[in-house]
Amino acid sequence: KSVPVCGAAMNKSEARITIQGVPDSPGNSYQIFKRIADRKITVDMIVQNVGQENRADISFTVPQDELAKALAAVKEAKEVVGATGITSDDKVTKVSVVGLGMAHQTGVAQKMFRALANESINIQMITTSEIKISVLVERGQSLPALRAVHQSFELHRKPDDLTEW
Amino acid sequence: KSVPVCGAAMNKSEARITIQGVPDSPGNSYQIFKRIADRKITVDMIVQNVGQENRADISFTVPQDELAKALAAVKEAKEVVGATGITSDDKVTKVSVVGLGMAHQTGVAQKMFRALANESINIQMITTSEIKISVLVERGQSLPALRAVHQSFELHRKPDDLTEW
Ligand SMILES: C[C@@H](O)[C@H](N)C(=O)O
Ligand SMILES: C[C@@H](O)[C@H](N)C(=O)O
């Protein structure tokens, strides 16, 4: 039988920044990420959901040691685009499941979310691609989260064997 | 020199559903995607940003011909979790850039967003992985969006050569 999920991973050294209330019109994502790129900051997740009342929130994650630099970039961008606020959290962990057979990934998503729900772990952000589902959770729940997805997908490896990615 | 982006693609046959105001506590993502999985609906993008005032919006895309079925699942889930609303849009297109060298993807993100901004194309949703940045745009702007990223990343292939994915 096919194995949709072949591995799980986590990254504990990220921080999350959200620029809130970005006017939902062409050019504003560019203004934000241009300033981040100009400072040579590495970005991992970028998440934006559909806007409401002509504004949208844009979140992204960076290595924790680049948080201060990224916040400086975002403060500048906030003024330029007219966003309403900035929030950040340096106590987050990205937990991912990876699989080549995830094309029909609904079953994988609900299975991952159930594993986390059963441990009372709150899902702060969700992003997906055809081969990966990543969620952001509270840093203190890193190991329970990773173990939960390991067990749920029967990945049979101790979390401390895994490489961060 | 390294080529961070090796291709672009679009999917014009998706529809977007958003379940708004999902109580931001463990178990609610599971309740939603369980009902979608039970109906064997194929899900592509899943996007959730951080919550505000203890509620978060969760959006996802499905094949257009599964929209009605997915809306039925979501209506049920909305009652169960106590979400505040449901919106959907069947006139969307997913546009993606793909690259193995995207690990430092800030430069790629701002370049993709600039290409779209220059054509006055509004970005409705953003999701990323290490090898892919996907955005959702209005269906009517499919071809201008794809051409814009093609030119920006010098991909030298006509859009109609590309496979949808
Ligand atoms: C919110 C932001 O993504 C905006 N829609 C843009 O296109 O830049
Ligand atoms: C909003 C939803 O993702 C919730 N935080 C959960 O964990 O299920």
Side-chain angles (χ1 to χ4, degrees), chain A residues 102-109 128-130 132-133, chain B residues 43-44 46:
Chain A
M102 263 166 55
H104 288 248
Q105 62 171 287
T106 297
V108 176
T128 55
S129 71
E130 283 81 355
K132 196 175 195 185
I133 301 177
Chain B
V43 169
D44 182 20
I46 301 174

Side-chain angles (χ1 to χ4, degrees), chain A residues 41 49 52 57 59 106 127-128, chain B residues 41 49 52 57 59 106 127:
Chain A
I41 297 165
N49 211 333
Q52 287 195 39
D57 296 345
S59 294
T106 297
T127 177
T128 55
Chain B
I41 296 165
N49 211 332
Q52 287 194 38
D57 297 345
S59 295
T106 298
T127 179

Side-chain angles (χ1 to χ4, degrees), chain B residues 1-20:
Chain B
K1 61 178 174 63
S2 78
V3 180
V5 171
C6 60
M10 77 179 173
N11 185 333
K12 293 196 288 182
S13 56
E14 300 198 342
R16 185 265 306 160
I17 296 175
T18 301
I19 178 161
Q20 298 170 312

Side-chain angles (χ1 to χ4, degrees), chain A residues 22-32 48-49 55-58, chain B residues 113 116-117 121-126:
Chain A
V22 176
D24 194 6
S25 49
N28 290 328
S29 307
Y30 166 60
Q31 290 298 332
I32 294 163
Q48 179 198 309
N49 211 333
R55 290 184 185 266
D57 296 345
I58 300 177
Chain B
F113 300 160
L116 298 171
I121 294 167
N122 198 45
I123 296 167
Q124 300 177 353
M125 274 172 47
I126 304 169

